[in-house]
Amino acid sequence: MTVRQHVRTEQRGSTAAKVLYRPVGLAGSIIGGIVAGALFKQVWKRAAVGSDGDAPKALESEYPVRQVLLAAALQGALFAVVKAAIDRGGARAFERWTGEWPGD
């Protein structure tokens, strides 16, 4: 068994850990969505000089397609990064509290 396989085996969580982690993960997802939404609004205000501060939505015809797609890409990237950071932090905290990794 290689070192990498040994580490991966030790980090696999039990079914009980996965079930117990679900409320923690759900709370983290809600908090992450709120944080990501607020972060996106602040970034868009600074990035879109001259606009009213709100990002364009796909069905708003007054915005060019390029601006709509840029806003969507930026929003998606920020949500993914914030979600990953919060999920990972929550899993690490859960592991410290319980001694078991909730994933895999």
Side-chain angles (χ1 to χ4, degrees), residues 29-73:
S29 293
I30 292 169
I31 292 167
I34 293 168
V35 169
L39 180 63
F40 174 69
K41 284 182 181 184
Q42 292 302 312
V43 169
W44 189 257
K45 278 183 191 177
R46 287 168 179 74
V49 178
S51 73
D52 62 356
D54 291 334
K57 294 177 182 49
L59 298 179
E60 293 177 333
S61 62
E62 63 268 19
Y63 295 100
V65 172
R66 181 177 180 200
Q67 191 174 8
V68 170
L69 296 179
L70 177 64

Side-chain angles (χ1 to χ4, degrees), residues 24 90-100:
V24 175
R92 284 186 174 164
F94 184 85
E95 183 182 34
R96 273 185 261 130
W97 295 330
T98 65
E100 290 195 51

